[in-house]
Amino acid sequence: MARDGKRRSNKQKQKTLVLVLSIALVLAMGVFAYTVGLGAVDPKNDEEVTVTIPNGSGASSIVYILDDAGLVKNTFCAKVNARIGGYKSLQANTYIFNRTMSFREMMKAINTGDFN
């Protein structure tokens, strides 16, 4: 009887380990996909794209403006980042970006008003 209990215990530990590793793998894949989704649309295309951010634009509307200009690789990832990215002082203005810039770089520029 003691051996059966030990076998069950080992099987339970193995199942738990497989579950934990599976969850860790799914989380790692999610973080990777999120990071890639915020990357540059075309790292080799430095053609300038002019974008106008109107007064009163929130982070979500800026995602759509950038997406319409062809500057967003993954709209879902951009929306998530717009919510959690801490962009508190988005500056209305006309910006010149390019497709080699990541979403975070563009939002940082809009948030700080950095026109360089």
Side-chain angles (χ1 to χ4, degrees):
M1 276 295 179
R3 293 185 107 190
D4 283 342
K6 194 171 187 175
R7 282 186 194 156
R8 283 188 202 137
S9 177
N10 285 341
K11 283 187 179 185
Q12 188 64 30
K13 286 179 185 178
Q14 287 175 343
K15 287 180 183 179
T16 302
L17 180 62
V18 167
L19 178 64
V20 168
L21 291 175
S22 297
I23 291 170
L25 179 63
V26 168
L27 287 174
M29 288 171 43
V31 168
F32 177 75
Y34 174 73
T35 303
V36 169
L38 294 177
V41 173
D42 186 355
K44 296 178 183 174
N45 183 355
D46 62 354
E47 180 182 338
E48 293 182 344
V49 178
T50 303
V51 177
T52 299
I53 306 298
N55 275 332
S57 295
S60 287
S61 61
I62 292 173
V63 169
Y64 291 115
I65 292 167
L66 294 174
D67 189 39
D68 288 344
L71 296 169
V72 175
K73 190 170 190 174
N74 184 299
T75 308
F76 176 77
C77 294
K79 286 181 186 179
V80 170
N81 185 262
R83 270 192 193 260
I84 66 172
Y87 308 112
K88 303 288 184 203
S89 60
L90 298 166
Q91 310 286 318
N93 210 324
T94 298
Y95 296 86
I96 299 173
F97 296 131
N98 61 58
R99 288 176 173 79
T100 65
M101 297 176 74
S102 71
F103 179 76
R104 288 179 177 147
E105 289 173 318
M106 290 181 278
M107 288 300 285
K108 182 180 177 189
I110 296 168
N111 194 56
T112 61
D114 182 6
F115 305 107
N116 294 325

